[in-house]
Amino acid sequence: MASDWKDFGEESNTLRALVHRIAEGDLVAVDRVPGDSVRAAPGGMCEGLHGTIAGILHGADAISTASSEIAAGHRDLSTRAERTFPSLQQTASAMEEFVCYLKRVVDVCSVSMSRI
C-alpha cells in the first residue's frame, strides 16, 4: 500500500493537503476536478458533504420553525386558559349552588310526599 502511494509522487502530498482541508471543514476551497480520478474524489466528497450539511441545516430550520410555532401555541393556550378560569370558577360555583337548591327541593318533595 505504501508503495502505491509513492507511485503518486507529489500528487499524494496534494491529496493529503486536500483531505486535511476537508477535515478542517473547508468544503469550498477544494478544487473541482472533472472525471473519475483519485484527484477528482475530494471534490466529489466535498459536494456530497455540502449536500448533506445543507440537508441538515434545512432540517434544523424546519425544527426551529416548528418549535417556535408550538411555543406560540402554548402561550396562546395558556393565555386563553387564564382568561377562561375565572368564568369557569363562577360556573362551578353556580352549579354547586344549583345542586344544593335541587337537594332542598327533593327534600321538601320527599317530606310532602310522605304526608300524603
Side-chain angles (χ1 to χ4, degrees), residues 84-94:
T84 305
F85 184 72
S87 65
L88 288 175
Q89 279 184 316
Q90 288 175 344
T91 302
S93 178

mmCIF file of all heavy atoms in Angstrom, residues 84-94:
data_model
loop_
_atom_site.group_PDB
_atom_site.id
_atom_site.type_symbol
_atom_site.label_atom_id
_atom_site.label_comp_id
_atom_site.label_asym_id
_atom_site.label_seq_id
_atom_site.Cartn_x
_atom_site.Cartn_y
_atom_site.Cartn_z
ATOM 1 N N THR A 84 -60.111 32.262 30.844
ATOM 2 C CA THR A 84 -61.322 31.458 30.987
ATOM 3 C C THR A 84 -61.516 30.961 32.415
ATOM 4 O O THR A 84 -62.643 30.741 32.852
ATOM 5 C CB THR A 84 -61.256 30.251 30.025
ATOM 6 O OG1 THR A 84 -61.025 30.742 28.709
ATOM 7 C CG2 THR A 84 -62.528 29.453 30.031
ATOM 8 N N PHE A 85 -60.454 30.816 33.167
ATOM 9 C CA PHE A 85 -60.521 30.227 34.502
ATOM 10 C C PHE A 85 -61.519 30.919 35.433
ATOM 11 O O PHE A 85 -62.329 30.237 36.077
ATOM 12 C CB PHE A 85 -59.124 30.196 35.129
ATOM 13 C CG PHE A 85 -59.090 29.522 36.459
ATOM 14 C CD1 PHE A 85 -59.236 28.145 36.556
ATOM 15 C CD2 PHE A 85 -58.926 30.256 37.624
ATOM 16 C CE1 PHE A 85 -59.218 27.509 37.781
ATOM 17 C CE2 PHE A 85 -58.902 29.633 38.850
ATOM 18 C CZ PHE A 85 -59.048 28.262 38.940
ATOM 19 N N PRO A 86 -61.529 32.255 35.531
ATOM 20 C CA PRO A 86 -62.496 32.893 36.434
ATOM 21 C C PRO A 86 -63.952 32.564 36.083
ATOM 22 O O PRO A 86 -64.775 32.305 36.978
ATOM 23 C CB PRO A 86 -62.218 34.392 36.279
ATOM 24 C CG PRO A 86 -60.798 34.467 35.821
ATOM 25 C CD PRO A 86 -60.601 33.247 34.970
ATOM 26 N N SER A 87 -64.271 32.549 34.788
ATOM 27 C CA SER A 87 -65.654 32.242 34.419
ATOM 28 C C SER A 87 -65.979 30.781 34.707
ATOM 29 O O SER A 87 -67.106 30.446 35.079
ATOM 30 C CB SER A 87 -65.935 32.589 32.949
ATOM 31 O OG SER A 87 -65.175 31.783 32.092
ATOM 32 N N LEU A 88 -64.987 29.904 34.574
ATOM 33 C CA LEU A 88 -65.207 28.500 34.928
ATOM 34 C C LEU A 88 -65.437 28.352 36.434
ATOM 35 O O LEU A 88 -66.278 27.555 36.868
ATOM 36 C CB LEU A 88 -64.023 27.639 34.495
ATOM 37 C CG LEU A 88 -63.868 27.406 32.993
ATOM 38 C CD1 LEU A 88 -62.586 26.642 32.703
ATOM 39 C CD2 LEU A 88 -65.063 26.657 32.441
ATOM 40 N N GLN A 89 -64.708 29.133 37.217
ATOM 41 C CA GLN A 89 -64.922 29.113 38.669
ATOM 42 C C GLN A 89 -66.340 29.581 39.000
ATOM 43 O O GLN A 89 -67.016 28.992 39.834
ATOM 44 C CB GLN A 89 -63.908 30.004 39.379
ATOM 45 C CG GLN A 89 -62.571 29.355 39.592
ATOM 46 C CD GLN A 89 -61.660 30.260 40.388
ATOM 47 O OE1 GLN A 89 -61.580 31.451 40.132
ATOM 48 N NE2 GLN A 89 -60.968 29.668 41.353
ATOM 49 N N GLN A 90 -66.775 30.635 38.340
ATOM 50 C CA GLN A 90 -68.132 31.145 38.581
ATOM 51 C C GLN A 90 -69.166 30.099 38.181
ATOM 52 O O GLN A 90 -70.156 29.884 38.889
ATOM 53 C CB GLN A 90 -68.371 32.441 37.798
ATOM 54 C CG GLN A 90 -67.622 33.629 38.349
ATOM 55 C CD GLN A 90 -67.796 34.859 37.482
ATOM 56 O OE1 GLN A 90 -68.222 34.772 36.332
ATOM 57 N NE2 GLN A 90 -67.438 36.019 38.021
ATOM 58 N N THR A 91 -68.961 29.448 37.055
ATOM 59 C CA THR A 91 -69.891 28.418 36.603
ATOM 60 C C THR A 91 -69.930 27.260 37.590
ATOM 61 O O THR A 91 -71.018 26.764 37.941
ATOM 62 C CB THR A 91 -69.483 27.904 35.205
ATOM 63 O OG1 THR A 91 -69.456 28.999 34.291
ATOM 64 C CG2 THR A 91 -70.435 26.837 34.702
ATOM 65 N N ALA A 92 -68.782 26.832 38.061
ATOM 66 C CA ALA A 92 -68.727 25.738 39.031
ATOM 67 C C ALA A 92 -69.439 26.127 40.322
ATOM 68 O O ALA A 92 -70.187 25.331 40.904
ATOM 69 C CB ALA A 92 -67.277 25.357 39.314
ATOM 70 N N SER A 93 -69.230 27.356 40.759
ATOM 71 C CA SER A 93 -69.889 27.831 41.976
ATOM 72 C C SER A 93 -71.409 27.875 41.787
ATOM 73 O O SER A 93 -72.179 27.454 42.668
ATOM 74 C CB SER A 93 -69.364 29.224 42.335
ATOM 75 O OG SER A 93 -69.997 29.721 43.469
ATOM 76 N N ALA A 94 -71.855 28.369 40.637
ATOM 77 C CA ALA A 94 -73.288 28.431 40.346
ATOM 78 C C ALA A 94 -73.884 27.025 40.281
ATOM 79 O O ALA A 94 -74.993 26.793 40.787
ATOM 80 C CB ALA A 94 -73.532 29.170 39.029
#
